[in-house]
């Protein structure tokens, strides 16, 4: 019969994932070592100081399907290395996140990011600030369960919902520029 195996080992990728067992013989599987495929760089703050414990994540696909999570955390010098990137993977984006700083990303548009393109991809993170407020109706009553977002775009990365007292918190506001806050709820008009 046909056996499908899923075998993983850090630093390797599977060459054959469908194995036919013949006459009770044990299945054979070839694992090939990945060499030299990593996304590397340094994450610093706006004053060029290295940032520690920053989560760096790769968004990628392989053979037309979303890939497994590939991530790393920066060391005390702000360095990261997301290892074991499959040579045929299509890298969409590198995401960088640290609480208290704005989320950043670097995109690679619909193409296989070559190994040299993934080397020394540095980021400079800008501190974020928290916006705290309330949503009230025209009579001053709190509006519960309103969707509050930062920015004019519906696909904003910074979204919150109001509590029973109409309170909300948004934590991805840019300190250096004015921000638009949009609140919306069915049955209410801005």
């Amino acid at each position: 019969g046909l056996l499908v195996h899923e075998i993983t080992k850090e630093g390797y990728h599977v060459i054959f994932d469908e194995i036919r067992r013949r006459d009770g013989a044990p299945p054979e599987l070839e694992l090939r070592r990945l060499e030299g495929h990593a996304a590397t760089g340094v994450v610093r703050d706006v004053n060029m100081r290295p940032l520690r414990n920053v989560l760096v994540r790769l968004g990628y696909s392989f053979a037309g399907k979303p890939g497994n999570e590939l991530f790393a955390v920066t060391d005390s010098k702000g360095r990261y290395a997301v290892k074991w990137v499959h040579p045929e993977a299509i890298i969409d984006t590198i995401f960088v996140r640290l609480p208290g700083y704005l989320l950043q990303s670097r995109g690679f548009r619909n193409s296989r990011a070559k190994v040299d393109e993934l080397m020394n991809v540095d980021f400079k993170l800008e501190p974020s600030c928290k916006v705290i407020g309330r949503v009230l109706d025209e009579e001053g009553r709190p509006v519960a369960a309103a969707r509050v977002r930062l920015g004019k775009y519906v696909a904003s990365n910074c979204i919150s919902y109001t509590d029973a007292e109409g309170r909300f918190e948004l934590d991805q506001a840019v300190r250096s520029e004015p921000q638009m806050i949009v609140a919306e709820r069915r049955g209410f008009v801005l």
Side-chain angles (χ1 to χ4, degrees):
L2 177 66
L3 296 176
V4 178
H5 291 269
E6 183 174 335
I7 298 176
T8 59
K9 179 172 173 55
E10 186 173 291
Y12 291 83
H13 69 273
V14 177
I15 301 303
F16 303 106
D17 60 353
E18 292 183 4
I19 301 145
R20 295 193 186 276
R21 182 180 280 192
R22 294 186 191 102
D23 300 324
E28 293 181 14
L29 185 69
E30 178 185 348
L31 294 178
R32 185 174 294 164
R33 179 94 174 141
L34 292 176
E35 296 292 341
H37 299 287
T40 63
V42 177
V43 182
R44 295 182 176 92
D45 67 11
V46 292
N47 297 313
M48 299 307 290
R49 290 186 301 252
L51 292 172
R52 181 185 182 133
N53 294 326
V54 178
L55 177 64
V56 181
R57 184 176 59 84
L58 259 61
Y60 79 101
S61 61
F62 179 71
K65 299 177 184 173
N68 294 328
E69 286 281 312
L70 288 178
F71 63 91
V73 177
T74 58
D75 64 15
S76 62
K77 295 182 180 176
R79 296 177 303 205
Y80 71 89
V82 181
K83 298 179 181 178
W84 320 125
V85 179
H86 191 286
E88 297 298 315
I90 297 175
I91 308 299
D92 301 316
T93 311
I94 299 177
F95 299 94
V96 180
R97 184 171 185 92
L98 181 66
Y101 291 86
L102 294 173
L103 171 70
Q104 276 202 12
S105 62
R106 178 98 22 95
F108 299 91
R109 298 275 182 217
N110 299 323
S111 65
R112 281 190 174 76
K114 296 173 181 55
V115 174
D116 59 338
E117 291 178 329
L118 297 175
M119 304 297 284
N120 303 313
V121 180
D122 296 342
F123 291 89
K124 186 167 65 173
L125 297 187
E126 184 177 342
S128 66
C129 65
K130 187 179 283 192
V131 175
I132 300 171
R134 287 183 77 196
V135 176
L136 305 171
D137 68 12
E138 63 276 353
E139 295 175 8
R141 294 181 302 227
V143 177
R147 180 177 186 247
V148 182
R149 61 185 158 84
L150 196 56
K152 59 185 174 184
Y153 303 107
V154 175
S156 172
N157 286 334
C158 190
I159 297 173
S160 181
Y161 290 88
T162 58
D163 64 13
E165 297 299 314
R167 291 186 294 260
F168 68 89
E169 289 186 16
L170 299 167
D171 68 353
Q172 285 286 305
V174 179
R175 292 175 189 230
S176 61
E177 56 189 64
Q179 298 289 302
M180 176 185 287
I181 298 172
V182 178
E184 47 200 3
R185 177 151 184 244
R186 182 171 275 166
F188 290 86
V189 177
L190 291 175

